[in-house]
Amino acid sequence: MELSEFFRENPKAALAFSGGVDSAYLLYAALHFGADVRAYYVKSAFQPQFELADARRLAEQLSAELRILKADVLACERIADNPSDRCYHCKKMLFEAIAQAAAKDGYQLLLDGTNASDEEGDRPGMRALRELQVRSPLRECGLTKERIRGLSKEAGLFIWDKPAYACLATRIPAGEVITERKLMDTEAAEAYLFSLGFRNFRVRRMKDAARLQVPASQLEKALLMRKEILSELKKYYKAVLLDLEVRE
């Protein structure tokens, strides 16, 4: 199936919009093929501010309707306690919020940006999507991440080469309680590294320490900027460690 065919068959839908490459291209394609689609972004403590900024900028670029919702994920113990299936409970909360808002707006079909490169397996988040009957047109149409980036570049979408970004909660080990303070520290630390030009990295929490995971090509840069990085990140962590096992 082609996306054009999908939207001929499903001309009206709500889209879970993250501000990332996949949902951005899906929004572009839906509008390009004449669908009545409305984008919904759910703001929670797990999303850094730049994601919302990107979502707003993309909606403006595409002249698309964007509705911003809020979800208090930390109020749910099954999420804040950070069990191994945290993503399931979180994803379910977010998509239920979108589904409820979309239904009030007259949209019954809910879409997301899962693509053909995303392995389903036993991923808790995927289970939530199945239970809520969320459709994934990019996956259904066989569009891989690489292909989506190429099409996004052709379409002139500014995020075509935006690195994949998992939510802030993924930086905290499973079983360790998630707090707003830990999330804020993670966001601040990663924002600083972004400002230094690092890409495709993570700042993971190990008790009170930060474990930096950067691509092999950026290890030398991290070592050269060691003093600056230590000075800033020790505002948030007692120790800063560099993971040498990371590869491209």
Side-chain angles (χ1 to χ4, degrees):
M1 179 185 290
E2 299 290 331
L3 280 177
S4 57
E5 182 181 352
F6 179 92
F7 286 111
R8 279 199 303 271
E9 295 179 0
N10 304 280
K12 185 173 183 177
L15 170 63
F17 191 54
S18 68
V21 179
D22 299 325
S23 60
Y25 180 72
L26 186 56
L27 179 59
Y28 162 82
L31 296 172
H32 178 73
F33 293 121
D36 174 4
V37 61
R38 181 174 295 180
Y40 294 80
Y41 181 98
V42 184
K43 176 60 180 160
S44 78
F46 290 173
Q47 278 76 43
Q49 287 298 322
F50 75 80
E51 292 280 47
L52 178 55
D54 284 352
R56 283 178 165 149
R57 181 180 169 190
L58 281 161
E60 183 178 354
Q61 179 183 356
L62 298 174
S63 299
E65 288 189 76
L66 174 63
R67 184 170 173 186
I68 299 170
L69 310 175
K70 292 184 179 180
D72 188 359
V73 290
L74 294 181
C76 175
E77 289 185 4
R78 290 177 297 181
I79 297 174
D81 287 348
N82 203 14
S84 59
D85 63 346
R86 179 207 69 245
C87 190
Y88 166 76
H89 299 292
C90 184
K91 194 80 101 176
K92 191 169 183 179
M93 173 187 279
L94 301 187
F95 276 80
E96 284 179 340
I98 294 174
Q100 183 177 12
K104 289 181 179 179
D105 294 338
Y107 296 86
Q108 300 302 318
L109 178 63
L110 181 53
L111 311 177
D112 90 313
T114 301
N115 65 58
S117 298
D118 294 323
E119 295 182 7
E120 185 166 356
D122 191 34
R123 291 169 60 181
M126 292 287 200
R127 177 159 58 95
L129 299 183
R130 289 196 302 270
E131 290 180 4
L132 296 173
Q133 298 182 315
V134 177
R135 298 282 298 275
S136 303
L138 299 176
R139 186 181 182 87
E140 293 179 30
C141 295
L143 292 173
T144 63
K145 189 74 170 187
E146 183 179 4
R147 178 62 175 153
I148 293 165
R149 287 194 185 280
L151 291 170
S152 297
K153 186 177 183 180
E154 292 175 13
L157 302 181
F158 73 90
I159 47 72
W160 72 270
D161 64 342
K162 180 178 178 178
Y165 191 88
C167 82
L168 294 170
T170 62
R171 313 300 193 270
I172 300 172
E176 179 179 334
V177 174
I178 301 172
T179 66
E180 186 173 2
R181 179 75 265 165
K182 293 174 184 177
L183 296 171
M184 291 173 64
D185 289 347
T186 300
E187 182 174 0
E190 293 197 345
Y192 177 71
L193 291 177
F194 273 125
S195 75
L196 297 180
F198 288 93
R199 287 171 60 88
N200 295 308
F201 66 88
R202 296 287 184 266
V203 179
R204 300 198 183 276
R205 189 177 189 89
M206 293 179 60
K207 295 185 178 180
D208 292 327
R211 177 162 61 97
L212 275 59
Q213 296 179 321
V214 300
S217 60
Q218 297 175 45
L219 284 173
E220 183 177 0
K221 179 177 181 177
L223 291 171
L224 288 173
M225 305 191 76
R226 182 180 66 85
K227 290 183 179 180
E228 297 96 315
I229 293 172
L230 281 173
S231 177
E232 180 65 22
L233 267 59
K234 291 196 79 171
K235 295 177 182 177
Y236 315 108
Y237 304 92
K238 290 184 178 179
V240 180
L241 314 174
L242 181 59
D243 190 338
L244 297 179
E245 294 186 358
V246 175
R247 297 292 183 268
E248 295 288 5

